[in-house]
Amino acid sequence: MNPPVMALLLILSLAIFSYSAARRWALLRVGTAEPRFSVRSLAELSKRLRLTLVYGFGQKKMPTYPVAGIAHTFIFFGFLVLLLRSVMLWGRGFDGDFDFWGLLAQGSWAASGYSLTKDVFSVLVMLGAMVFVYYRVFSRPKRMTLSAEGLVILFIIITMMLADLLYDASSIVLDAHADPRSLALRYCEPASSLLAMGLAKLKLSPIALHILQHTGFWWHASFVLIFLNLLPYSKHFHVITALPNVFAASDLPRGTLPIVSDLEGRVEREEPLGFRTISDLSWKDMLDLYTCTECGRCTEHCPASLTDKKLSPKHLTVALRDHLYDSEAHLVPDGLVALEDLNTFNAVAQTPLKIGGDPPPNAYFRSAVPVKLVPGILHPDVIWACTTCRACEQECPVNISYVDKIVKLRREKLLVDAEFPTELQKPFTAIETQGNPWNLSKRDRPRWADDLDVPLISDRPDARIVYWVGCAASYDERAKKIARATVKLLKHAAVDFAILGEKERCTGDPARRAGNEYVFQNQAQANVQTLTESGAQRKTLLTACPHCFNTLKNEYPAFGGHFSVVHHTDFLLELVMQKKLIPKKRVSATVAFHDSCYLGRYNDIYESPRQILASIPGIELREVPDWNRERGLCCGAGGAQMFMEEQNDNRVNNKRTLQLLETGANTIATACPFCVTMIQDGLKAADKEEAIASLDVAEVLERSVL
């Protein structure tokens, strides 16, 4: 007990931390406003608390990497348990008998229960930390950021736990010094009492034991505060920011991009349409940057990174975070946001860098000078390599968003700077003029069904189902077969449906994901008006395209389009279960199912297509080990990549196709017309086009039913 020293330690360490936290808070406030929650909505508050419990305290995503996940869970819960211990030790710096006013009085059930919990978690935390020491020193996985900082933090964690056990063990020996035989394994302090028994065998003097006791006490009490002060300046800042970041996550349907209001007005006022400079990020975007653990799970599952593109979600986040920190002096002079300095910063940042007309040679680099994010901090290829598949967001244990940031970076380059891949110009123009990215005539849209007697909604306004065919199935020869199979099944089940025909237009998904919000909004408004006039708000919209499905279901409500939307796999499975479709013919095939990103990771539809396939006689389903369902690799078509050339010869669709071929299946099934095309191209590249079939689930079901 040394009250002056403890008081000085607490005052100095907490004052320094308060200063550091204030700096980070001031920098966060530079971010643009972004309403995330309303305290008036009890339902929303309840939802956010539930998400925080599940993903934050429940560590839901940690077990996806079993060993590292369990180790992290040990450390996380250990710190929660030992926080009470740290406060107790600080109290004992003033009063040696401090025990929370009798709550943990020696001999009480509460004290015994906490001592047992604390003792067990001290050991578990050390074990968890040693797992990460092994990863950093011996295993060294490529996904992780390996630095001396990580080892320093692990050293602090391990020695804190040892110091705590040493403090208890030496105290136990001192209490029993008069009678060493009284030392025995205590159920409430198993680790401490075992260590005490070892110390007793050394026959240390009371003075030596007091030295060990004080060493353990001050080491733990001090290094907790040292650790706290390291957090705001390291990647371990997530210890503080992770729970708030999970709590403040977007409440929009997963992966939905928020609407950009008043596009024309923003252009006239020269306001950013996306991310131009670091100050354009919202406070939540900056909180994401603070929260990155640099674990690399995002990059390890990113299809662009896996195929050697310049995009690495982890490095993108770290590059933006480092630039944010480097820009602190410009953004938050003297800890306060000065408006005139911020305006100057933005003015400088909007001036193109003089770099010889070429983008920076590296994908990411740091700069303390105010610059455009692209190409100043991020190579243009970084933002244009993204397939918007959300694998990064699926893997991130702290729920950082990536796709929305990349789309905002694209939006600024495309709409403001007019800098984007030249291949996108034709589909953008075609969507605007013809309502499809292939620039084919509007009148040709319904011709895929000329011989099928498919009714138009204008002829059957009371039809219960509106079949939204989509551009691919309307114009692409391969995808037309999916639409025809779907229609034949609907007719066989006597479903009352109709199509829009020439009135249907592209949903605008490729344009929006590529950053062309202007084209998307025009398409959305036109389609919502058409659907409303057709009475679709009283019907069910059926579509076989996951991109159309996601846009109609999750993004059109922002434009007043509130429709009941169902994907054809869910709808067909319901017909099978109702015995309206009976798979009776045997289809002898081993089938590997490929999950569409916009069906699975965006909308959690994994089981319906598998259940349909499992209901077909003769089908043997096979999964790609470690790369199925929410971890399925993207086909490479999303984010408008369908209409762009890849940045190298290592194509995403080829990699995915090889994964599927490794199952030994003779048929690859999917539930997306874009995926079918990409997999078919992958089969061509592997010279397997004749041997392996690439089919939609509806086509496989048709073979068994009809």
Side-chain angles (χ1 to χ4, degrees), residues 68 87 310 329 645:
V87 175
K310 288 187 176 179
E645 290 296 325

Side-chain angles (χ1 to χ4, degrees), residues 536-571:
Q537 65 273 21
R538 300 183 302 275
K539 307 176 187 295
T540 296
L541 285 179
L542 169 67
T543 181
C545 176
H547 297 265
C548 295
F549 173 72
N550 182 70
T551 305
L552 293 166
K553 180 176 183 288
N554 296 325
E555 299 194 319
Y556 276 16
F559 298 87
H562 300 278
F563 309 113
S564 174
V565 189
V566 62
H567 189 258
H568 79 318
T569 54
D570 279 342
F571 194 80

Side-chain angles (χ1 to χ4, degrees), residues 679-698:
I679 297 300
Q680 189 164 303
D681 287 347
L683 291 172
K684 289 179 183 177
D687 198 23
K688 295 287 186 180
E689 185 182 14
E690 299 298 326
I692 308 296
S694 175
L695 301 171
D696 186 88
V697 170

Side-chain angles (χ1 to χ4, degrees), residues 5 17 31 45 64 82 88 116 153 159 176 243 264 266 307 314 368 399 411 418 447 459 486 520 523 600 652:
V5 174
F17 175 75
L45 178 61
T64 55
L82 290 158
M88 180 187 291
L116 174 61
I153 294 295
T159 56
L243 291 178
E264 294 182 358
R266 286 172 180 258
T307 53
K314 182 185 81 170
N399 290 10
R411 189 187 301 149
R447 289 188 176 174
D459 299 326
T486 301
F520 166 74
Q523 296 300 114
V652 175

Side-chain angles (χ1 to χ4, degrees), residues 211-467:
I211 291 174
L212 289 177
Q213 183 188 45
H214 281 269
T215 299
F217 173 88
W218 288 105
W219 188 279
H220 183 110
S222 301
F223 270 87
V224 170
L225 297 169
I226 292 171
F227 179 76
L228 180 67
N229 277 283
L230 289 175
L231 296 182
Y233 302 97
S234 75
K235 72 184 185 67
H236 292 85
F237 197 23
H238 74 270
V239 172
I240 295 174
T241 61
L243 291 178
N245 196 61
V246 173
F247 181 82
S250 173
D251 61 348
L252 294 172
R254 186 181 304 139
T256 302
L257 297 175
I259 188 173
V260 183
S261 59
D262 191 20
L263 273 173
E264 294 182 358
R266 286 172 180 258
V267 172
E268 291 176 1
R269 295 188 296 270
E270 298 184 352
E271 296 176 0
L273 298 180
F275 292 159
R276 173 173 294 187
T277 70
I278 197 67
S279 61
D280 293 330
L281 274 67
S282 73
W283 65 266
K284 177 57 174 65
D285 295 320
M286 293 181 179
L287 185 61
D288 274 352
L289 305 186
Y290 285 0
T291 306
C292 179
T293 69
E294 299 184 34
C295 65
R297 295 180 178 209
C298 53
T299 293
E300 191 169 59
H301 287 80
C302 171
S305 182
L306 285 168
T307 53
D308 305 317
K309 311 299 190 293
K310 288 187 176 179
L311 170 61
S312 159
K314 182 185 81 170
H315 292 148
L316 180 145
T317 299
V318 171
L320 292 176
R321 183 199 65 196
D322 289 345
H323 178 55
L324 176 65
Y325 289 168
D326 291 341
S327 305
E328 182 180 12
H330 300 278
L331 297 172
V332 194
D334 300 323
L336 298 174
V337 180
L339 184 60
E340 62 274 14
D341 289 318
L342 188 56
N343 289 337
T344 301
F345 174 86
N346 285 331
V348 174
Q350 292 171 12
T351 303
L353 286 177
K354 296 181 179 180
I355 49 177
D358 295 322
N362 300 317
Y364 315 89
F365 65 94
R366 297 180 65 167
S367 173
V369 180
V371 295
K372 284 185 178 181
L373 295 177
V374 181
I377 303 302
L378 305 172
H379 191 291
D381 284 353
V382 169
I383 66 170
W384 295 110
C386 179
T387 68
T388 68
C389 70
R390 287 196 65 254
C392 50
E393 297 178 6
Q394 174 68 37
E395 291 299 316
C396 180
V398 288
N399 290 10
I400 292 172
S401 67
Y402 300 88
V403 172
D404 58 338
K405 296 181 182 64
I406 289 174
V407 170
K408 288 175 183 177
L409 289 163
R410 289 177 171 182
R411 189 187 301 149
E412 188 69 19
K413 297 304 294 179
L414 191 148
L415 293 180
V416 177
D417 297 339
E419 297 174 5
F420 56 94
T422 55
E423 310 97 284
L424 291 176
Q425 185 59 64
K426 287 184 178 179
F428 288 160
T429 302
I431 291 172
E432 281 191 280
T433 57
Q434 296 291 350
N436 69 84
W438 287 282
N439 200 31
L440 297 173
S441 172
K442 299 175 185 178
R443 290 191 292 270
D444 291 339
R445 183 174 280 272
R447 289 188 176 174
W448 61 271
D450 279 349
D451 60 335
L452 294 177
D453 190 27
V454 176
L456 296 174
I457 194 70
S458 55
D459 299 326
R460 192 178 294 176
D462 295 329
R464 185 174 64 87
I465 304 295
V466 175
Y467 175 32

